Structures are given as structure tokens and as C-alpha cells.
Amino acid sequence: MRKRLLTWFSDNARDLPWRRDHSPYRVWISEIMCQQTQVATVLPYFERFLSTYPTIRNLADADENQLMRMWEGLGYYRRARSLHAAAKKMVEEHDGEFPESFDDVLALPGIGRYTAGAIQSISRNQAFPILEGNTQRVFSRWIGLTVPPTEKIAQARLWELSDKMLPRRKSDDRSNGPAGFNQAAMELGALICSPRSPKCGECPVATICHANQQGLQDDIPGKISKVQYESRTEIAVVISRDDRYLVRTIPEGVRFAGMIDFPRAGPPEADDVVGMESWLAGQLGGDVTLGMRLKTIKHAVTRYRMTLHVHLGEWNVNSDRVAEDGPMPDSWQWATVDELADMPMSVTGRKIVRLLDRPQRSLFSEL
């Protein structure tokens, strides 16, 4: 099975930048970026990221706002913060070099068993097993495992199989070693052994795959619980003054923490327009009034199906808490469209900026 798989991989492997240069740093960045994100989406981000932060020290010294702006659009922004924290730890504890041992790699922020094994095997050709979405499916079909791969007993069996399948003969030939095998297994899952309608007729190991032999390829892996999405409605407010717009840095513990956003809230803080006016007035001081709706944006965030209503708003700042020309409340600031272009924002925040950047006649003709 190994021989067939590796022969297939040598002829069919995609030309990916982290395969051309498989240094631990580049493999690490690629693995983090590819979590929950398709390779085609990752490619332009990877090239830009490595051009901006070519070394661990460059990444450790990165301005967090610039780093988050660079990551914008990839989602799961905690990954970027973990990269930043891990780079700083490598500078502090490993003289800016990527750790050599598996345990030291595993101790880095944002790295678990799979990612540590992938880095060590792909970059250093060391015999560490891996198990992620693609290989879970591939290995389950190989052995005819009908138990859902997320169950504890299945996980133990699949990790055991992943380990036993690794080539053990010491060799400098990466293509026939752990580096080649682990990448080949993942590639098979990405290109051939797909979740639905796998291309068994093109599979190099179909004749020795238990699922294929028993006609179970459409039933394996076992049924995995689907995410139960919840509907959620939020309100964002566009408040302007002299071609500048009111935005804030999202506080820790809140979705998209550390990024810049327009005033935004939903239940329980703001169930409706009146609730939003009350919540925002409490944040800013003074009186807030919401006006016409500019746009409604529908999108998904983790387990939520989101509906975002974007309204114009007015802020009367004359109050005991804040004066017209006084200091802004903590975390709030005024910014022009050009300034917002360089600030890290969520996808929906960026859509609001693009809406504001249109000529006024074009903007209001849509309303």
C-alpha cells in the first residue's frame, strides 16, 4: 500500500510553495493557514505572509495590527495571534530558531499533536504520525472502520494505524520516507478520497481498500454530527464626522478581539434598534440615534448564521461624560476610509468600508 501510494504521489502531487522549500518555519505557517481553510484560498496569503515575515524574528517583531490586516479574510483570527505568540516564544527560548524536538514544538502556542507531527515529518522527515480531516477519512476507508472517526475508540485506532503505516527505514530520501507518506496520504484525501463520491476508479490503492472492496466508500467514515447553526441578528452603526467614521478596537473576550470595527452589537445587549441606541449610548456617553438602514449583510461565523443590519447613526456627545472636543472613550477613535484601509477588520467590517468608499450618488441610489 505504501509503495503504490508513494508512486502515485510522485506523479500527482500538487506544486505547493511549502513543498518546494520545506523549512520548519514555512511548513508551520502553511499548516496553521490550512486549518479550516482550503489550499486554493491559502496560496496568495502564504506568499504575501512569507514576503512580509520571511523569518521567525520578523514575525515576532510584527506589529499586531499589521499582522491581523495581513490575515484578514482567512478567518479564525486566533490562529494569527497564536503564530505571533509562538514566534515570540521561539525568539525568547530558542534564539529565534525553530525547536528541534517534538516536545518543544508541541509546547508552542497554537500547536497540537497533529500540527507538531506534520512539521516534524514534512520538514525533517521524522517518523511522526498525523491525523487530520483528510487522513481520518482515508485511513477509515482503508480499514473499513464504520465507527465515526470522532469517537474516542476510533481516534485511538486511527492514530495507531497512522503510526504503523510510516516507513521506518532510515533514509535521506524524503520522497519514500515519513515526509512523503504523510503528504501522500493527505493528498489522496484532498484529490481522490473525497467525502462524497470518492474517485475510487483513480485511486492507487482501491484494490486493497476495505471500504472499496465491501462497497462501503459512501458510508465510511461513519456519520459525523453536523454543526447545528443558530440564527443571530446584529446591528452595526455608521456614525460620521468630517469624513471620519467612529470605530473601536474590539476588546478581549469578544469575537474578533483586537480588530477594528464599527459600533456593533446583538442580543442580549441590543435586541433591536432601540436597544442598540441604548447600548451604544452607554458605551459612549451622550445620546445616540439610529437612522436609515444602509444595507443588510448575511454571513456565517462559526456556528451562527448571521444577519447584520447596517444603519446610519448620530451621536450627540454633549453630556457630563464626554465633550464635543474632549478625549474619546477608551478603545474608540475616528478614522477616515483611507486610514481604515490599513486597519485589521472582519470581512463584514471591510464590506461596510467599501460601501462608504463609493461615491455618495452611487451609495444612495441603492437604498
Side-chain angles (χ1 to χ4, degrees):
M1 183 172 276
R2 271 200 302 264
K3 184 176 180 181
R4 290 190 192 183
L5 181 63
L6 291 170
T7 299
W8 171 84
F9 183 61
S10 67
D11 295 332
N12 295 277
R14 289 170 291 180
D15 181 21
L16 302 175
W18 48 88
R19 288 177 179 166
R20 292 180 226 129
D21 177 351
H22 47 77
S23 67
Y25 178 61
R26 291 172 66 88
V27 171
W28 170 49
I29 300 299
S30 73
E31 287 295 332
I32 299 301
M33 284 190 170
C34 287
Q35 292 172 6
Q36 306 292 326
T37 309
Q38 294 183 346
V39 169
T41 301
V42 165
L43 288 173
Y45 283 89
F46 181 83
E47 298 287 9
R48 286 196 298 269
F49 195 95
L50 268 294
S51 176
T52 305
Y53 309 116
T55 69
I56 292 170
R57 288 188 182 276
N58 293 142
L59 179 55
D61 292 339
D63 174 77
E64 184 170 321
N65 279 343
Q66 182 191 35
L67 176 62
M68 298 305 291
R69 181 71 177 92
M70 182 80 61
W71 198 269
E72 188 178 303
L74 276 177
Y76 300 95
Y77 294 93
R78 185 176 295 178
R79 294 180 295 174
R81 293 192 182 89
S82 293
L83 284 174
H84 202 194
K88 290 179 178 179
K89 182 171 183 176
M90 283 186 269
V91 168
E92 293 170 0
E93 300 181 8
H94 302 282
D95 197 28
E97 299 294 327
F98 209 89
E100 291 288 336
S101 76
F102 177 88
D103 288 342
D104 283 342
V105 174
L106 189 62
L108 295 173
I111 291 185
R113 181 182 179 184
Y114 157 72
T115 305
I119 294 168
Q120 295 298 84
S121 63
I122 295 171
S123 68
R124 292 170 169 151
N125 201 29
Q126 296 178 0
F128 287 100
I130 62 168
L131 193 65
E132 40 71 70
N134 283 320
T135 47
Q136 274 189 163
R137 183 171 60 257
V138 168
F139 296 158
S140 293
R141 285 173 174 161
W142 281 0
I143 62 174
L145 182 67
T146 56
V147 178
T150 52
E151 292 192 12
K152 186 175 180 180
I153 188 171
Q155 282 285 299
R157 183 73 184 93
L158 292 171
W159 274 109
E160 180 186 19
L161 175 66
S162 180
D163 183 59
K164 289 187 175 182
M165 287 296 298
L166 288 171
R168 298 294 177 182
R169 183 181 301 171
K170 297 234 176 186
S171 170
D172 293 330
D173 182 5
R174 293 173 44 81
S175 62
N176 289 310
F181 177 81
N182 280 342
Q183 290 181 93
M186 288 190 287
E187 197 81 333
L188 189 73
L191 302 183
I192 301 294
C193 197
S194 51
R196 295 189 182 92
S197 303
K199 303 172 185 175
C200 297
E202 302 175 31
C203 179
V205 296
T207 58
I208 42 180
C209 168
H210 283 233
N212 180 258
Q213 290 174 346
Q214 299 170 35
L216 296 175
Q217 60 268 29
D218 292 328
D219 300 320
I220 296 176
K223 189 172 183 180
I224 299 174
S225 299
K226 292 185 178 180
V227 175
Q228 298 297 313
Y229 289 100
E230 298 179 29
S231 295
R232 180 176 171 84
T233 299
E234 294 184 343
I235 298 173
V237 185
V238 175
I239 297 174
S240 63
R241 181 183 298 165
D242 300 328
D243 294 324
R244 296 178 301 159
Y245 297 93
L246 183 65
V247 293
R248 70 164 177 165
T249 302
I250 302 175
E252 289 299 320
V254 179
R255 187 177 74 240
F256 303 133
M259 304 190 81
I260 302 299
D261 197 17
F262 294 90
R264 180 193 309 228
E269 292 84 4
D271 291 314
D272 52 24
V273 168
V274 174
M276 185 65 185
E277 291 174 337
S278 176
W279 175 81
L280 191 50
Q283 295 288 309
L284 298 171
D287 298 317
V288 175
T289 304
L290 267 62
M292 67 185 300
R293 185 188 301 176
L294 287 177
K295 191 176 183 65
T296 294
I297 302 172
K298 293 184 180 293
H299 63 113
V301 178
T302 59
R303 61 188 179 91
Y304 295 104
R305 298 292 191 193
M306 308 286 291
T307 299
L308 178 66
H309 298 305
V310 184
H311 285 258
L312 288 176
E314 293 184 2
W315 176 30
N316 179 4
V317 298
N318 291 313
S319 72
D320 294 336
R321 286 181 54 188
V322 57
E324 180 76 31
D325 298 319
M328 293 292 291
D330 288 346
S331 80
W332 295 89
Q333 61 178 302
W334 296 100
T336 65
V337 167
D338 288 342
E339 289 169 338
L340 288 171
D342 295 324
M343 297 179 179
M345 305 187 82
S346 67
V347 171
T348 50
R350 190 62 60 196
K351 286 183 178 180
I352 298 174
V353 173
R354 286 198 292 268
L355 184 69
L356 300 175
D357 199 25
R358 297 177 188 174
Q360 289 292 317
R361 182 178 302 171
S362 171
L363 170 62
F364 287 98
S365 69
E366 297 180 7
L367 303 178

